[in-house]
Amino acid sequence: MGIDAAQQVGTKGEARARVPPALRLPRGVARYGYVYLFMLPAVLLLLGLTVWPLLRTFWLSVQDVNLVRPGSEFVGLANFREQLGDRTLFWPAAWHSLVWTVGSVAGEYLLGLGAAVLLNQPLRGRGLVRMLVLIPWTVPIVIAAMTWRWILQPEFGIGNVLLVRAGLLAEPVYWLGDLSTALGTTIFVNVWRSFPFFAITLLAALQAVPKELLEAAAIDGANPWQRFWKITLPHLKGVSLALIVLHVVWTFNNVEFIWLLTEGGPLHASETLATLVYRLAFRTFEISEAASLSVMMIAVLLGVGAGYLALGRRRRG
Amino acid sequence: MDLDLDRDLDLDRETPSRTPIANALRGAATRRRLLQTGAGAALAAPAVLGRAPVRTAAAPVRRAQETVELEYWTPVTSGNADYDNFVAVLGAFQAEHPNIRVNAQTVSFEQLENRVVIAAQGGNLPDVVWSLPETIPTYQRMGILADLTEQWGAWDGKDGLYEQTLPGITYGDQIFGGMPHYLGIRAYQYHADQFAEAGVEQPPETWDDLVTAGLALGEAGFPGFGFCGQSVRQPQEVIVYFWQNDLDIAVPVGEGTFRNTWVDDPDELTRATEVFQFYYDLMHTHGIVPREAASWGYTELDTNLAQATIASAVDGAWMVGYEDENPEAMADIAFAPIPYKRTPATFLEVAYQVTFADSPHPAEAWEFLRFIGDRTAQAMPFYANRSVRSDVEAEGKWTEPFMALVPQGRSWPQIALGQISQQMIDAFQAVLLEQATPEQAATTLSEQVNASLAEQGQA
Amino acid sequence: MTIATGPWYRRWPLLLAYACVAVLLLYALFPVVWMVTTAFKPTPEIRTADPTFVPSRITLEHFGLVLGQSNFLVYVRNSLLVATTVTAATLIVSTLAGYAFSRFGHLRGITLAGAGLVLGQLVPGVLLVVPLYITMNNLGLLDNLWSLILTYTTFSVPLSTLMLKGFFDQVPTEVEEAAQLDGCPPSQVVWRIVLPLAVPGLLTTALYAFVQSWNEFLFGYTFISQDDRRTMTPGLADFIGLWTVDWGALMAAASLAVLPVTLAYLYLQRYLISGIATGATKG
């Protein structure tokens, strides 16, 4: 369809004929010049504020630069070797990154899908509930983290107090301070903040599922479960995939939430690669080590991105 | 809403030094424009009528070209109880120096060091920054601190300073960067009513006393003691116990070089192990400290002390701020020196006002520093209860007990801490969460500190 | 799945659905309700060993402090300026780029730019702080709201472009062709013909860009040190004092900060759901 439009643009060729040959731009540029012009602002922003810092990151990753120590030197891949050889911080953090990302995104998707299906039912007050459910997504992360930290506190947190009063807990649990619960609790809080975005997006997609198809299936005797499984879900595939990939990237790179909830503690039990980058860059100012870690993270995400594109291509053809 | 994008977004950094007349005119125009709509007026109100920004506090009218503006970063925000007292100090300075305007901007404590390091990368440092003692060696290594040796020599007010405030800024026979401006002293704070109810008559003097008292309190149903397992406070708490056991995290071994000597001397390693063992016993052997404390940050520790869910802790005079929130629980708070083992010691946090080598206004910056360090400012309410000067009288419940501890006060060795703070937190958490024995933790910490010192070129 | 209707004993799925809604709301709103009730509590009831949800009496002192004695409204104004400018800039940049993608995705240069946009999404923000600080310093934009506008726009353009591409794919090309045959220049085609058809998509993108910049903390904190240029989220740190936190004021400010976005969503909800539906199914 794009080609049709392009051919229409070609009608301007008549005007072109009147321009002396020497002044003509190469045919492609002249015809599509405005298209490139459309792209220009986006490309400029990207070059200036993402690509340039990115190149700097690559350069830093093979240097030894510390922000509080004058001078720098080229060290090749030493930073990478140092990270990969670190069994006490790097590998546990890599594992936590995996758990944090998969756990968060899976929780967000399942809860978001459940909420979407629920809010697609003809329930009373549906409009109001749809709005209320979105609120967590609008709370600034700083506030969300501080409030949760307080609620989950063992001595004076309302969450623990209520759970103990209701008899669901024998004694208060230090959710964010215990080795075994810290990472899980940060995931719980992260799901709380992000599932609304999944919910409204999936809800929108649900409403776009053709009703005729569902009705036809019902007439053919398919039960609600079968209809959901065979008709609704396949319709959600595209949007689900996009949502998931996007949130995998965001979650994998997210520092603020974990940092404000636990600072990666206790004893690095909730330390991810992203918080490790923050720690290296802003606590010890080892900017080169932070850069090498980031390069590895980008490589992992590129893998995820490539997988997404490959899946998309297979779906289309 | 009538908001003028151009005006609001294009303000360049020179704006504040426009002539007062121009500013006044601009203000009137802004007001007029904003008053056109109700919403605009509501938004404009604080800028025009509300809390005046600090810098306009007491600046008399004068011609703009004479005015020098000092960019100053401080962590004191309007959320602080003594914010007004702080503004009064700046006001007194402005009254004395009509040609200097202090443009105070708030930067939170936790972000101060980051912001300075990042600003230094961009060559965009402010003139004066409120700094914690831990950060001074870092700034010195970056080579950004101003050499104040000359001004210091000519200043006749320096004799009134406590001598403990000087090592932090003294390098050889030179003075770099800063002016001490207040003391954050740690004392043992306890709930006297709980102690009385448990039949503990005296606050503990030694580590053993602390255990005895803690056990008695436990029998009466009160968790006896608390400490920080993580956050910036943790290293400040544990270093005291090392000092009390005649150890330090690093000792000078040459010109600007340091070493942790625990691994070199079996006797020192034993004493270091004792500190870890002390923490372990308090929590696990005797059950005096709640297990959750292994992961407490300073907010948790302070709140628990304020709510009397723990009977005692080592803490600072800022706990006075909790009297509003917890008036009943805080009524019986009392103070004593920190229980010790071999040598009494406490953590003496000397905060500095620091100025930088490339400040465009070195003379004015020094004037500001000198004013803060002199007796006039130090005797004002903001400083009087934590003054760096021995010639300022210490008075009041939240002042005297702390100032009495100055003679036993100590501060960090002159090393850029970098990773070392985190290594201290990790070592103690490993013991408290039962992932390592005290001896393993002492050995590991000693080795890690030396590795860090080497990496930073300080070994 | 649609829930059956009928006599009450057949309607247990409906009851179950209402129960699920209740649980869902509890999870979503618990911290928010806690935040709001705290904002109305007298100070001694805020942090106690025996916390309760309902204040013994309602006080407006924390709101009074936030609105009257702090710079909060200045921060809100700055945030509004930044967020609205970012939203407008994102819409313009992403509309142009998204249209180019949708109609001319076959051109090699455009494909390359697209790959760049996707790559742009992958870079961890933490790592950009120092390099961007230096860039902004070189441009003389530190302590200037434009530094945040540029940064936030860059962050929201990639996803916005991809979203809008999805919407433009939905607009039939026949309409444009007709317009072009009538001699309408390409910019006018986009402005007059395509945009009005993609309004739901634009609203979705706008909300996304607005919320992103309204809530951003790290760059806002790093680029701005002048109090009167500070934005809302970093400004909240004002209530996190030197040694103690003014929880009442912090929660009051937070409640106020959440309000505009929630209201905007309430107003736009109808368009948004249909907007996302179109974009989502194709995107």
Side-chain angles (χ1 to χ4, degrees), chain A residues 226-288:
Chain A
Q226 288 169 325
R227 274 177 276 159
F228 179 73
W229 203 248
K230 293 269 164 62
I231 298 172
T232 311
L233 262 191
H235 264 94
L236 298 182
K237 214 167 171 186
V239 60
S240 299
L241 209 59
L243 263 179
I244 288 171
V245 170
L246 199 63
H247 276 260
V248 162
V249 173
W250 284 346
T251 311
F252 188 69
N253 283 339
N254 184 290
V255 177
E256 282 162 308
F257 238 124
I258 297 187
W259 194 262
L260 292 164
L261 283 172
T262 64
E263 288 198 20
L267 207 59
H268 305 287
S270 55
E271 189 93 74
T272 62
L273 293 177
T275 61
L276 205 53
V277 169
Y278 184 82
R279 191 182 293 287
L280 287 167
F282 292 113
R283 281 297 161 97
T284 60
F285 305 112
E286 293 285 358
I287 199 83
S288 280

Side-chain angles (χ1 to χ4, degrees), chain B residues 279-325:
Chain B
Y279 258 52
Y280 180 86
D281 287 345
L282 281 172
M283 180 175 289
H284 295 286
T285 314
H286 307 302
I288 293 167
V289 172
R291 287 185 175 228
E292 291 80 21
S295 309
W296 279 352
Y298 59 87
T299 318
E300 285 79 14
L301 179 76
D302 291 355
T303 312
N304 278 301
L305 181 63
Q307 296 179 352
T309 39
I310 50 172
S312 68
V314 170
D315 221 320
W318 54 80
M319 288 301 295
V320 67
Y322 281 84
E323 281 184 336
D324 271 354
E325 272 189 15

Side-chain angles (χ1 to χ4, degrees), chain B residues 13 19 35 103 162 179 198 222 231 303 341 360 370 401 437:
Chain B
R13 301 202 57 215
T19 64
L35 283 172
N103 180 8
Y162 287 112
M179 171 66 70
F222 306 118
S231 83
T303 312
K341 186 159 174 86
R370 186 199 57 72
T437 67

Side-chain angles (χ1 to χ4, degrees), chain A residues 83 86 88-101 176 178-179 181-184 186-187 251-252 254-255 257-281 283-284 293 297, chain B residues 230 422-423 425-426 429:
Chain A
Q83 297 298 338
D86 181 353
T88 56
L89 278 181
F90 176 83
W91 286 108
W95 167 244
H96 296 152
S97 272
L98 185 71
V99 174
W100 155 258
T101 309
L176 289 167
D178 197 282
L179 283 179
T181 54
L183 187 59
T186 53
I187 292 174
T251 311
F252 188 69
N254 184 290
V255 177
F257 238 124
I258 297 187
W259 194 262
L260 292 164
L261 283 172
T262 64
E263 288 198 20
L267 207 59
H268 305 287
S270 55
E271 189 93 74
T272 62
L273 293 177
T275 61
L276 205 53
V277 169
Y278 184 82
R279 191 182 293 287
L280 287 167
R283 281 297 161 97
T284 60
L293 209 53
M297 289 173 66
Chain B
Q230 48 191 25
Q422 187 62 41
Q423 289 162 346
I425 294 171
D426 287 353
Q429 269 193 330

